[in-house]
Amino acid sequence: MGSVQIVTTILAFAITAVAVWLAVRAVMKMVAVIRLGQPDPTRFGDKGTRTKTMLAETAGHTRMLRWSVVGAAHWFVMVGFIVLSLLVLEAYFEVVSPTGELPLVGAWTFFNALTELIGILGIVGILVLMAIRLRNRPTRPGGRSRFTGSTMWQGYFVEWVVLLVLIFGFVIRGFKVATDHFEYPVWATPLSHAVGAALPNWDAGVSVAALIKIVISMTWLIVISLNVTMGVAWHRFLAFPNIFFKRDPGRAGSGLGALRPMTSQGKPLDFEEADPEKDQFGVAQVEQFSWKGLLDFSTCTECGRCQSQCPAWNTGKPLSPKLLVLSLRDHAYAKAPYLLAGGGKDLTGEEKATAAQLAHVDVLALAEGDKPLIGTAEEGGVIDPDVLWSCTTCGACVEQCPVDIEHVDHIVDMRRYQVLIESSFPSEAGVMLRNLENKGNPWGAPQNTREDWTKGLDFEVPRVGEVDDFEYLFWVGCAGAFEDRAKKTTRAVATLLNEAGVKFAILGEGETCSGDPARRIGNEFVFQMLAQQNVETLNEAFEGREKSKRKIVATCPHCFNTLGNEYGQLGGEFEVVHHTQLLAHLVATGKLTPVQPVDGGVTYHDPCYLGRHNRVFAPPREVLGTAIAGELTEMPRNSERSFCCGAGGARMWMEEKIGKRINVDRVEEAMSTGAKTVAVGCPFCSTMLNDGVNGKGAGEQVEVVDVASVLLRSVKPEQAPGEKETAPVAG
């Protein structure tokens, strides 16, 4: 060992010791913060499926590749980071000796050829990612960027470190080639030989380059260890457990569909026994999120995919799912010293720690502990109320997140506390909640008018109790029973089912609201009151039937989602289908036959709670494909990336006062296709898009109509209504 190697060895191991010590300290801090969260025992079941899903999403990049160029580039960088970590390890042998190499695999030609290829592709990949970040920088002209609000220096730092580590890997090999210490053929390591041809014959070059590579790598580790909220770097480690512990690992669209039930200490809350002084009602403090929530916040990569797809963000609202998560993350870690010292408020608002426990806590951490989780800037709040109430719960953020953060669950948990304990929510939604409690529907319509939609039909609509041999219970829903446009859809579906010979029955006045608006605004109490009533009614209607024969068809995706995904939490197990699924089946089996194509061009708007939340994309398109003349014209944002109409999350009953109206944005996109008919599969979407069309003054040029009505016009053109559905908006 020469003098150069003695110096490089000492420096390499010294900086490594510092970096490892800081990294261990950082990991211990992160674990301590995440453990502050509430228990969530549901995250530990079915480890086989969890492992398989985690490997598919990480090794296969199944979510990242939805954005093909970025996904492919990121895959090469990820593989390079993992595999070429072995070459960082090899650098420790090379600082000691210019001929140093990894034991066993270091002398293997295949290993060196593989790492050569991965290194080349890794450089290409990281250059692509750097170019994309620069092209989408927040300061660029032309509008908002998905990186707006991200800590840009951290992204640039990580990318430059990756690039330099990859480059110095080839510099080390180049010096080995130049000093004749490289035994591998040109065909296996072409770039290394090319670099070597340009470098001088300097014996110490290998050790010096290896030291630089180690210094760069350990500097990266030191920087991220001193910045535990640096998600753009820490996600390389945290993504694996965060994906492993996702809510529904075996379900496409995990984190969507059903909401998590309200819990206290990890157990579902029973309102009959719950005590607000002992049980947690929603989330009022950051430590009241589950440990998985705190892991979510820590894992955020700041990539902004969620932000780029969010309807609120894209129409000038203050909500960005990314910035919401980052605010909660930064608050959690800033508050952590106070919490770890024993501080925090109990459920009555009293301080839990003694003065002695808090005596040595940093004043900034104490100040962070006094911040309200929800509050305006003047109140020092972490999350502004306008941010919280801008969410439509459309799920675009959850759908796009590459590390499976469950934004919607966290937003609704915060809403629950605001509604149930603080009684703080947009005032106009109060009318809707009172109507749900007193009338059983958000419009406040009389219950004895629930069957008025059946008047004028040329066949009898059977009621449950009057007939026993029905195959499907037709869940009409509040909109389908009371809202004029939705009633046309209800009549169309009933007519088509009758035409196809499907035996169905309705509950009539025995039906009440599914509870979706109450649950998504945060009023779990009203939801459970309505849901338990409906579960009891439905169980009675299906008494004696096994689950596979307890079939429900619903026209409203919100009812479809609630009955099928959430009533099981309350003892209601049913097979629920959306009307477009049933109609597609009836057409495919020849029970419904379109005879007159609907022309003029048709585009289809995917309802969030049908598409993203429940993965029903094909059936509505199959129905339309048989009923229209020509091809369906797709909007630019469709299927998984469909843009929300603006009505979800109980936004249907709240005023849209900030920014551009979401429904107008969507209508403009629909009109840009040139289609004369905008087909929908949801009464909320019908109301919102009709409102948008009328607002644009395009009611004579564009018609918004349900998929069932389109099919009815094709199957029975003589019975289908001919007028355009441009009635005034109800509710």
Side-chain angles (χ1 to χ4, degrees):
M1 181 186 290
S3 58
V4 171
Q5 282 72 40
I6 292 172
V7 173
T8 56
T9 300
I10 291 171
L11 291 176
F13 283 89
I15 193 171
T16 301
V18 172
V20 169
W21 177 73
L22 289 173
V24 169
R25 190 181 70 167
V27 169
M28 291 175 65
K29 179 177 181 178
M30 294 177 79
V31 170
V33 170
I34 291 167
R35 290 185 66 183
L36 287 168
Q38 301 303 303
D40 189 351
T42 64
R43 305 286 178 169
F44 298 94
D46 199 357
K47 292 182 174 59
T49 301
R50 291 184 180 280
T51 302
K52 188 186 304 181
T53 302
M54 184 266 290
L55 291 174
E57 289 192 22
T58 52
H61 259 41
T62 52
R63 294 174 73 88
M64 284 293 296
L65 285 169
R66 291 174 183 172
W67 293 24
S68 53
V69 173
V70 177
H74 190 277
W75 188 85
F76 287 121
V77 172
M78 181 200 72
V79 172
F81 179 82
I82 294 172
V83 175
L84 300 184
S85 294
L86 291 173
L87 298 189
V88 175
L89 177 61
E90 188 174 54
Y92 287 92
F93 293 90
E94 292 162 339
V95 293
V96 176
S97 169
T99 60
E101 61 185 13
L102 283 173
L104 302 177
V105 297
W108 193 17
T109 299
F110 175 77
F111 172 76
N112 283 273
L114 178 64
T115 52
E116 182 94 356
L117 177 62
I118 291 173
I120 293 170
L121 294 174
I123 289 175
V124 172
I126 197 64
L127 288 173
V128 168
L129 295 181
M130 292 171 80
I132 289 171
R133 186 178 293 272
L134 286 169
R135 189 182 67 197
N136 290 281
R137 65 193 184 280
T139 55
R140 85 197 196 293
R144 289 181 168 186
S145 161
R146 66 185 177 96
F147 292 117
T148 299
S150 298
T151 314
M152 293 301 287
W153 76 262
Q154 295 180 353
Y156 293 135
F157 171 76
V158 168
E159 288 166 348
W160 272 104
V161 164
V162 171
L163 180 61
L164 290 173
V165 167
L166 290 169
I167 288 173
F168 272 91
F170 287 105
V171 171
I172 294 169
R173 286 185 170 186
F175 274 119
K176 285 187 175 182
V177 171
T179 55
D180 203 25
H181 295 316
F182 201 65
E183 303 173 357
Y184 310 105
V186 174
W187 67 263
T189 54
L191 184 55
S192 296
H193 279 273
V195 173
L199 293 176
N201 183 356
W202 181 31
D203 283 334
V206 173
S207 297
V208 171
L211 173 63
I212 294 173
K213 182 176 181 178
I214 290 170
V215 168
I216 293 171
S217 301
M218 292 304 108
T219 298
W220 175 81
L221 189 57
I222 290 170
V223 170
I224 73 167
S225 298
L226 295 174
N227 293 273
V228 289
T229 58
M230 195 170 173
V232 70
W234 282 106
H235 84 272
R236 294 162 186 259
F237 311 107
L238 296 178
F240 297 97
N242 207 54
I243 295 170
F244 181 87
F245 290 116
K246 67 195 293 185
R247 177 144 63 90
D248 302 302
R251 180 183 185 273
S254 174
L256 297 172
L259 281 172
R260 290 180 67 249
M262 263 181 72
T263 59
S264 181
Q265 293 299 311
K267 298 177 182 178
L269 200 64
D270 183 346
F271 277 97
E272 292 184 1
E273 300 178 0
D275 180 353
E277 294 189 1
K278 297 179 181 177
D279 294 303
Q280 181 179 315
F281 280 56
V283 169
Q285 304 290 334
V286 72
E287 64 272 20
Q288 292 177 350
F289 287 105
S290 72
W291 62 264
K292 175 57 169 64
L294 294 176
L295 179 59
D296 271 359
F297 308 152
S298 303
T299 307
C300 179
T301 72
E302 303 190 24
C303 68
R305 288 190 179 205
C306 58
Q307 182 171 288
S308 72
Q309 303 295 304
C310 176
W313 177 258
N314 277 283
T315 54
K317 315 292 189 293
L319 168 64
S320 156
K322 177 188 72 178
L323 298 180
L324 178 138
V325 166
L326 298 187
S327 296
L328 293 171
R329 178 199 68 188
D330 293 345
H331 173 59
Y333 281 89
K335 188 177 179 180
Y338 160 68
L339 295 172
L340 292 171
K345 305 292 192 298
D346 63 21
L347 295 173
T348 64
E350 296 297 318
E351 175 60 57
K352 293 188 287 187
T354 64
Q357 286 176 297
L358 301 180
H360 302 291
V361 175
D362 183 81
V363 65
L364 295 177
L366 291 173
E368 202 73 28
D370 288 333
K371 285 186 177 180
L373 190 65
I374 306 298
T376 62
E378 292 76 15
E379 296 166 337
V382 178
I383 304 297
D384 191 277
D386 283 335
V387 169
L388 189 66
W389 298 110
S390 292
C391 180
T392 67
T393 69
C394 71
C397 50
V398 179
E399 173 72 33
Q400 289 298 323
C401 182
V403 293
D404 285 299
I405 293 171
E406 296 162 0
H407 313 72
V408 173
D409 284 341
H410 305 320
I411 288 171
V412 173
D413 272 340
M414 289 186 284
R415 285 183 171 187
R416 285 166 167 166
Y417 180 83
Q418 293 301 303
V419 172
L420 294 171
I421 302 300
E422 297 291 336
S423 295
S424 177
F425 51 88
S427 57
E428 60 269 23
V431 176
M432 177 268 291
L433 289 172
R434 287 192 296 274
N435 285 335
L436 287 178
E437 288 190 75
N438 300 326
K439 299 288 188 177
N441 68 84
W443 282 278
Q447 186 71 358
N448 60 9
T449 62
R450 269 197 180 268
E451 299 179 33
D452 284 1
W453 65 270
T454 63
K455 295 176 181 177
L457 291 174
D458 57 6
F459 58 91
E460 188 71 23
V461 176
R463 279 76 173 165
V464 171
E466 297 175 2
V467 293
D468 296 322
D469 61 344
F470 61 91
E471 182 182 4
Y472 286 94
L473 189 152
F474 182 13
W475 183 271
V476 176
C478 299
F482 301 121
E483 203 271 333
D484 288 338
R485 274 182 300 267
K487 282 196 280 188
K488 294 180 182 179
T489 300
T490 308
R491 291 164 64 88
V493 171
T495 302
L496 289 165
L497 294 182
N498 182 68
E499 177 73 12
V502 175
K503 293 181 178 180
F504 70 97
I506 63 172
L507 289 172
E509 293 182 26
E511 185 182 301
T512 191
C513 181
S514 68
D516 164 87
R519 184 168 231 197
R520 275 150 186 80
I521 203 173
N523 197 324
E524 186 75 4
F525 177 78
V526 170
F527 164 73
Q528 290 203 19
M529 177 186 73
L530 295 168
Q532 286 168 353
Q533 179 181 336
N534 282 326
V535 166
E536 184 177 337
T537 301
L538 290 168
N539 283 339
E540 184 178 335
F542 288 120
E543 189 172 4
R545 297 193 189 192
E546 57 193 58
K547 181 182 176 181
S548 62
K549 294 182 179 179
R550 296 156 67 93
K551 297 180 181 179
I552 299 174
V553 58
T555 57
C556 175
H558 297 264
C559 297
F560 164 66
N561 177 70
T562 303
L563 272 63
N565 295 328
E566 297 183 338
Y567 276 17
Q569 299 169 2
L570 301 169
E573 296 290 338
F574 314 109
E575 291 288 342
V576 187
V577 298
H578 188 250
H579 72 284
T580 58
Q581 293 175 297
L582 181 54
L583 295 178
H585 170 72
L586 295 175
V587 171
T589 54
K591 293 182 180 179
L592 289 174
T593 305
V595 294
Q596 180 175 309
V598 176
D599 58 15
V602 178
T603 190
Y604 174 65
H605 164 78
D606 288 272
C608 300
Y609 273 82
L610 183 63
R612 259 191 304 273
H613 279 277
N614 285 284
R615 327 308 294 176
V616 179
F617 302 114
R621 289 173 168 81
E622 291 168 1
V623 173
L624 293 171
T626 64
I628 64 176
E631 295 291 322
L632 181 70
T633 305
E634 293 284 8
M635 285 185 254
R637 295 176 291 193
N638 64 77
S639 303
E640 290 93 342
R641 294 193 191 180
S642 179
F643 198 69
C644 182
C645 74
R651 289 292 321 173
M652 178 86 166
W653 291 274
M654 293 183 243
E655 292 296 327
E656 196 169 348
K657 301 173 182 176
I658 304 173
K660 184 179 181 180
R661 292 182 67 87
I662 293 172
N663 60 335
V664 171
D665 190 294
R666 186 56 165 169
V667 161
E668 289 174 351
E669 184 173 8
M671 292 174 62
S672 73
T673 66
K676 300 301 181 186
T677 300
V678 180
V680 297
C682 171
F684 289 7
C685 296
S686 176
T687 294
M688 298 300 285
L689 297 187
N690 265 295
D691 188 22
V693 167
N694 293 336
K696 297 289 291 184
E700 294 300 316
Q701 294 81 44
V702 178
E703 180 182 19
V704 180
V705 64
D706 192 88
V707 170
S709 295
V710 175
L711 180 61
L712 182 60
R713 292 175 185 182
S714 181
V715 172
K716 302 187 73 174
E718 74 285 354
Q719 290 191 19
E723 74 277 13
K724 294 189 176 184
E725 300 186 8
T726 55
V729 177

